Amino acid sequence: MKVRIGIGAIPLADGPGPGPELAVLVDELEARGIDSLWLSDSPSTGAIDPLVGMAYALARTSRLKVGTGVIVLPGRNPATVAAALASLAALAPGRVLPAFGVRPAREPERTLFPVADGTRPAVFDEAMVVLRRLLTEPAVTHHGRFFDLTDASIVPLPQKPLDLWLAGRAPVGLRRAGRLGDGWLGSLVTPEEAAEARETIAAEAARVGRRIDPDHYGTNIAVRTPEVTEAGAAAALAAVARRRSDIDPAALVARDWAHARELVRQYVAAGLTKFVVRPAAPVPSWAGFLDAFAGELAGLEDELSS
């Protein structure tokens, strides 16, 4: 059980723009030996498209793993997503970490990933089947409700099948992760909820004759660092409250690095081993955030691994 802690990218406060910011972040992560970078699928925030960002980061580094947290799959063609992932896996074997979600977290962005009303979950399920088959089979014939392929193929196939992680915290999403995913990347869940989610996912996987690797469970952690302004912290808590009105948002956003360390320990006790840490709100520079990260969290990887 290896505990690994990566970094989630967000736009910097008054930064030079997505391109230069990403270059600095990628270079810093590679130089510091940090495990992974995770890119969100949020066009309205100034974030780089996750597939484009993955290609850029992987080409710029030789060790850094790069994941998506998460790609919105409905509204995208799963065949073109599979082709992109296969190309990335050929160029950077072992460093491509795709994770997928059903819908954007931000309501206004949902029109950017259009599917027919009421079909989004069903589209996601079928898209995942198509995606996995295209990444593992030399020729795919699939005649489904939403996708139709005859002898479709992607070359080269990944030498080792990619692990396809899923997001979601509702019971239906957790069961979907058990049926269709190779891992789970949670968000806005307490350690107690994470433990229950892990049990639900594992039980559903077993029900359909599958097994999720025990160390393929993780979550996101937002941290309020000293550089985060009061306004930024308030906005972060308000955003959490809009998505989790049933819980105190302060329980889901680390108030400082000490709180973040405690949350990691609690999540590990709940059975999670993979973490994506990001600032709760934009910070002035990545170097300062990563200096604090290295001093406060990086050492937990070895300490908590078993």
Side-chain angles (χ1 to χ4, degrees), residues 12 16 19-29 56 60 286-287 290:
L12 294 177
E21 290 177 11
L22 184 59
V24 170
L25 176 56
V26 167
D27 292 350
E28 289 278 356
L29 294 174
Y56 178 83
R60 199 175 175 93
W286 278 114
L290 295 176

Side-chain angles (χ1 to χ4, degrees), residues 26-42:
V26 167
D27 292 350
E28 289 278 356
L29 294 174
E30 178 82 352
R32 295 164 184 263
I34 292 174
D35 177 72
S36 53
L37 168 66
W38 296 79
L39 301 168
S40 63
D41 197 358
S42 187

Side-chain angles (χ1 to χ4, degrees), residues 10-233:
I10 68 169
L12 294 177
D14 302 319
E21 290 177 11
L22 184 59
V24 170
L25 176 56
V26 167
D27 292 350
E28 289 278 356
L29 294 174
E30 178 82 352
R32 295 164 184 263
I34 292 174
D35 177 72
S36 53
L37 168 66
W38 296 79
L39 301 168
S40 63
D41 197 358
S42 187
S44 67
T45 66
I48 296 288
D49 177 89
L51 289 169
V52 173
M54 287 179 79
Y56 178 83
L58 291 167
R60 199 175 175 93
T61 58
S62 61
R63 183 208 53 79
L64 182 71
K65 298 190 287 291
V66 185
T68 58
V70 294
I71 292 175
V72 178
L73 193 53
R76 283 188 164 92
N77 186 325
T80 59
V81 173
L85 292 174
S87 295
L88 291 172
L91 295 168
R95 298 199 287 136
V96 179
L97 308 174
F100 301 94
V102 173
R103 57 177 56 84
R106 293 174 174 81
E107 185 77 31
E109 291 182 347
R110 295 181 184 176
T111 56
L112 302 178
F113 303 92
V115 295
D117 289 346
T119 65
R120 187 173 290 275
V123 169
F124 182 88
D125 288 1
E126 188 176 333
M128 282 297 300
V129 171
V130 169
L131 180 70
R132 186 181 296 280
R133 291 190 64 193
L134 286 169
L135 287 170
T136 56
E137 300 178 22
V140 175
T141 295
H142 173 93
H143 304 300
R145 178 182 173 189
F146 305 105
F147 304 104
D148 190 84
L149 297 86
T150 300
D151 291 331
S153 60
I154 290 174
V155 180
L157 291 176
Q159 294 182 357
K160 179 183 177 183
L162 294 176
D163 288 330
L164 308 179
W165 288 42
L166 272 59
R169 67 174 180 272
V172 64
L174 299 175
R175 291 192 294 272
R176 179 184 292 116
R179 290 195 314 275
L180 299 174
D182 299 307
W184 176 67
L185 184 63
S187 180
L188 301 184
V189 290
T190 66
E192 294 77 16
E193 290 170 336
E196 294 174 0
R198 191 182 190 280
E199 292 179 1
T200 299
I201 293 166
E204 180 67 10
R207 188 187 70 81
V208 298
R210 304 182 70 242
R211 177 181 180 274
I212 307 296
D213 193 306
D215 74 350
H216 280 197
Y217 296 88
T219 194
N220 291 266
I221 299 177
V223 185
R224 181 182 178 182
T225 67
E227 300 90 348
V228 171
T229 64
E230 290 292 336

